[in-house]
Amino acid sequence: MSALEPRDAEVTAPRVDIAATPPEGVLGRTHRALSIGIVSVVLLIAFEATAVGTAMPVAARELHGIPLYAFAFSAYFTTSLFAMVLSGQWADRHGPLAPLATGIGAFGAGLLLSGTAGSMWMFILGRAVQGIGGGLVIVALYVVIGRAYPERIRPAIMAAFSAAWVVPSVVGPLASGTVTEHLGWRWVFVGIPVLILLPLALALPAIRRMAAGPTDAESAVKPFDQRRIRLALGISLGAGLLQFAGQELRWLSLLPAAAGAALLVPAVRGLLPRGTLRAARGLPAVILLRGISAGSFIAAESFVPLMLVTQRGLSPTMAGLSLAVGGLTWALGSYVLARPRLEAHRESLMVAGMVLVALAIAVAPAVLIESVPVWTLAAAWGVGCFGMGMVIASTSVLLLKLSAPEEAGGNSAALQISDGLSNVLLLTGGGAAFAALGGGAVGAAAHGAAGSGAAGAHPGAFTAVFLPMALVALVGAWVATRVRPAQWHQSDPM
């Protein structure tokens, strides 16, 4: 990627010429405030993801919305897909400051709306507003990194993003459970927006100074691509219809499934780079790998706590904490790939990372055997998270390396769309297989007597989730061999 050109001195809020930046790290004087600010944003999102998930069942029960429980999650997902595309275009044309500030504000407003909701539908509306905020923020952050950080230290800031998930992954479930039990679930939602103040105070002034405005201040700003906006709406609606169809498992569900597929296929082809679905070398393979790695891992991880509660008798809190070590090893994997001396080996390490992910997912259902200690899963999941840390951080670094400055927003949106869409498709497929093989009986047993053992449980339902996801992860190992563009010479570092 070529160095960004400095903006004209007469333009308001000039962007720093990073080519002239002295050799310092992400916490050097030039980038300190920006790094702390944007990592705080990631910390906010991470804490929300871990804390809100713990409070969600209590909220749905109190609002008499258990039948709508899944929509509280899918509402966030569907709106975030649309917001990602909008954020990419917004950031490319006017800079990342406005979408980032708007996203943080929407994220906080959604939390407050959910926390004060008097009905389940109002709660779901709040989650949808949160999704808009989350989608705007995550893409804008990638554009900030591409503009404000020299290429040599981008791996370090990506590793910091992964590290920001460590504390929330350990503290989030405990803090949320305690607050929910003693103060009520609403405080989990209305309390998190307080964390918005630190990112606003630190990140926004630094972004205004270092990365604001369009890429080329002298060129006319292009209008928004209305076709891409329509495709974004199609991909969000299509994903929602498929998720609904996967939950119903009735013949009539084929109708929303067909409608969802009809919306998704042209939208995916229009929003992802040409060659993504066939893993063409370079950027298309990077974007596909992001989806395969995230989708297979998240789809499998979503069933781990349920499996530990219903099959091995753990409490929900302990089941969640059994995965806490993964936050540490994920950050470690990102740190390893941030070392400059390993840059030339990035492709082979990404392949190894996906193999570790596949092994961890394949080993997980071994705890269905009573003689296998539960810590076996915790250890395996730590290994898988180490592999994920290497892969996810590397896809982010490579995306920015392979994107021209004016394309960073659109390509970042494509990366996040691949991530989010794979999550919902693989979760839908895994959930349908789980339900078809008796997963409903598993859920009923857990509801009737959490931790009572295997009464009414169907271990095969869990196996039908984990083993296919392990195969998907192995496909990702092959895709990882294609992230190096064909035109790069063998001697060129990645």
Side-chain angles (χ1 to χ4, degrees):
M1 180 184 295
S2 60
L4 300 181
E5 295 295 329
R7 294 181 59 195
D8 192 287
E10 296 180 357
V11 178
T12 304
R15 188 164 59 248
V16 172
D17 182 2
I18 61 177
T21 301
E24 56 184 28
V26 295
L27 291 179
R29 185 175 60 180
T30 302
H31 298 94
R32 184 181 299 124
L34 178 62
S35 297
I36 294 174
I38 62 177
V39 170
S40 297
V41 173
V42 176
L43 186 70
L44 166 68
I45 295 174
F47 190 79
E48 184 274 343
T50 56
V52 169
T54 303
M56 194 81 73
V58 180
R61 184 169 61 246
E62 185 175 314
L63 295 172
H64 308 289
I66 293 295
L68 300 174
Y69 183 76
F71 287 96
F73 292 96
S74 61
Y76 183 100
F77 170 76
T78 54
T79 56
S80 66
L81 279 176
F82 170 73
M84 289 172 191
V85 177
L86 178 63
S87 183
Q89 294 202 34
W90 196 352
D92 282 342
R93 286 156 178 78
H94 301 285
L97 181 62
L100 182 61
T102 304
I104 292 175
F107 195 81
L111 283 166
L112 291 174
L113 188 59
S114 291
T116 58
S119 67
M120 191 61 180
W121 281 114
M122 187 60 66
F123 181 89
I124 291 171
L125 177 61
R127 292 289 293 165
V129 174
Q130 274 185 258
I132 293 174
L136 290 173
V137 166
I138 192 63
V139 173
L141 285 178
Y142 277 86
V143 178
V144 169
I145 293 171
R147 292 189 178 197
Y149 290 85
E151 187 175 311
R152 60 180 176 78
I153 63 173
R154 288 176 193 162
I157 193 64
M158 292 299 182
F161 277 15
S162 294
W165 281 81
V166 174
V167 174
S169 67
V170 177
V171 176
L174 284 175
S176 178
T178 301
V179 170
T180 299
E181 182 178 350
H182 292 92
L183 298 178
W185 65 267
R186 295 183 185 274
W187 286 100
V188 176
F189 289 85
V190 301
I192 292 177
V194 175
L195 299 176
I196 294 174
L197 299 177
L198 179 61
L200 285 176
L202 292 175
L204 298 187
I207 293 172
R208 183 179 294 109
R209 183 179 70 255
M210 303 177 69
T215 305
D216 189 349
E218 297 181 355
S219 300
V221 176
K222 297 184 296 183
F224 281 80
D225 188 336
Q226 298 297 326
R227 175 178 173 273
R228 289 183 67 84
I229 297 296
R230 289 193 298 270
L231 290 175
L233 287 172
I235 203 171
S236 294
L237 182 57
L241 288 172
L242 282 179
Q243 197 169 35
F244 172 78
Q247 293 171 350
E248 289 298 306
L249 290 180
R250 296 183 302 174
W251 284 109
L252 288 177
S253 299
L254 292 176
L255 295 177
L263 288 170
L264 271 180
V265 172
V268 168
R269 293 175 63 88
L271 292 173
L272 299 184
R274 185 184 300 274
T276 297
L277 299 182
R278 56 182 174 84
R281 287 193 172 275
L283 183 63
V286 170
I287 290 176
L288 180 61
L289 177 61
R290 178 58 164 261
I292 288 176
S293 59
S296 59
F297 188 81
I298 297 301
E301 187 177 59
S302 299
F303 286 88
V304 168
L306 181 63
M307 180 172 66
L308 293 177
V309 168
T310 60
Q311 306 299 296
R312 297 304 300 266
L314 271 67
S315 68
T317 300
M318 290 303 299
L321 289 178
S322 68
L323 303 178
V325 67
L328 297 171
T329 58
W330 190 307
L332 179 61
S334 299
Y335 174 82
V336 167
L337 262 293
R339 301 301 88 198
R341 65 177 179 273
L342 295 178
E343 183 68 20
H345 307 288
R346 185 178 295 276
E347 179 184 351
S348 58
L349 289 173
M350 291 172 72
V351 174
M354 287 307 304
V355 171
L356 293 179
V357 172
L359 287 174
I361 297 174
V363 167
V367 298
L368 293 169
I369 304 172
E370 287 291 331
S371 60
V372 176
V374 173
W375 61 259
T376 302
L377 186 146
W381 219 249
V383 171
C385 285
F386 180 81
M388 284 293 290
M390 291 196 294
V391 173
I392 295 298
S394 292
T395 57
S396 301
V397 170
L398 288 174
L399 176 116
L400 294 175
K401 188 179 182 70
L402 295 170
S403 300
E406 66 276 8
E407 297 175 344
N411 289 340
S412 297
L415 188 79
Q416 298 302 323
I417 288 171
S418 177
D419 186 322
L421 185 59
S422 294
N423 282 343
V424 74
L425 292 180
L426 291 178
L427 273 169
T428 298
F434 182 75
L437 292 178
V442 172
H447 182 74
S452 63
H458 293 260
F462 290 101
T463 305
V465 174
F466 287 101
L467 295 187
M469 297 308 156
L471 292 176
V472 172
L474 282 179
V475 174
W478 170 76
V479 175
T481 66
R482 302 178 60 80
V483 297
R484 181 186 294 270
Q487 65 268 28
W488 284 2
H489 297 295
Q490 187 68 26
S491 60
D492 288 343
M494 290 189 66

